[in-house]
Amino acid sequence: MRRADLRINVIGTSGAGRTTLAARLGERLAVPHVELDALNWGPDWTERPPEDFRADLAAFIAQDAWVLCGNYTRIRPMLMERANVIVWLDYPRWLVTWRVLCRSVERAWTGRELWAGNRESFRLTFFSRDSIIWWSIKTFGKNRRKYRAMFEELAGRSDVQAVRLRAPREAERWLTDIKPAER
């Protein structure tokens, strides 16, 4: 597969490290990278209208090469039409939970902007039904079953490469093995 044709979707439960891996991958391959969350969320943690989200996603994935990270089930058919590499960060529950906890505390402490002016706060992180930590814990098992089924389906396809990484060192090795773009 030529680098100019790579269209990669990185998936995994919140906190696994999708965004970090996808950003590093995009930089290494010198292709655009986007987080689905950045396309989905508007100011004040309001979801953007579905037609705007889909239009922005369609414009992004129309490019010849890209790296995208995220797990939105409602747009999976759009992604599966274009993606030719699916990378699943299938890390242990304890590691994902630890990572999302550390990440959330760091984001709440620094007040770093995520998308559209949104920031995590200690109130949102620890005292809200919308806590990303609780979301990660609650969806871990469901996501693992969903991705396992997806990878079983992908096993019969020759047009999509399925990469399942079970530990950060595997992801690091995989990323290192990818030939970087010539600058």
Side-chain angles (χ1 to χ4, degrees):
M1 194 174 302
R2 296 175 336 149
R3 178 174 291 102
D5 298 332
L6 286 175
R7 296 178 303 278
I8 304 169
N9 183 198
V10 180
I11 62 173
T13 299
S14 296
R18 296 180 314 241
T19 301
T20 301
L21 179 66
R24 290 179 64 202
L25 188 54
E27 184 177 321
R28 186 164 181 88
L29 297 172
V31 300
H33 159 253
V34 73
E35 296 176 64
L36 286 178
D37 284 338
L39 300 179
N40 182 62
W41 293 107
D44 298 319
W45 295 104
T46 56
E47 288 192 80
R48 295 178 59 225
E51 59 276 6
D52 294 348
F53 174 61
R54 285 180 178 277
D56 288 348
L57 176 60
F60 183 79
I61 65 175
Q63 299 175 86
D64 291 335
W66 43 262
V67 178
L68 179 143
C69 57
N71 296 327
Y72 290 75
T73 302
R74 68 184 183 262
I75 50 85
R76 180 160 297 124
M78 287 177 70
L79 290 177
M80 295 309 287
E81 286 179 22
R82 293 282 298 150
N84 53 24
V85 179
I86 307 294
V87 178
W88 174 19
L89 299 182
D90 184 20
Y91 297 166
R93 180 187 297 264
W94 70 266
L95 179 59
V96 171
T97 302
W98 175 251
R99 282 181 160 194
V100 77
L101 176 66
C102 291
R103 179 191 80 183
S104 296
V105 167
E106 185 269 334
R107 285 178 174 177
W109 182 265
T110 63
R112 180 171 62 92
E113 181 179 337
L114 301 175
W115 326 274
N118 296 314
R119 301 171 195 286
E120 289 187 31
S121 66
F122 285 106
R123 183 191 58 73
L124 186 62
T125 299
F126 293 104
F127 306 108
S128 168
R129 290 183 322 204
D130 297 324
S131 164
I132 191 65
I133 297 167
W134 177 241
W135 173 259
S136 179
I137 292 168
K138 184 172 69 172
T139 60
F140 184 90
K142 179 179 75 169
N143 282 342
R144 182 171 266 174
R145 287 185 298 277
K146 180 173 55 176
Y147 300 144
R148 188 175 291 130
M150 177 197 304
F151 268 52
E152 287 172 7
E153 288 177 26
L154 291 175
R157 291 180 55 179
S158 61
D159 60 329
V160 178
Q161 178 186 2
V163 178
R164 184 176 181 183
L165 303 170
R166 295 185 174 141
R169 69 182 167 278
E170 282 184 26
E172 197 61 43
R173 233 182 348 258
W174 180 78
L175 183 63
T176 302
D177 288 345
I178 293 171
K179 186 177 175 192
E182 296 173 8
R183 308 241 182 223

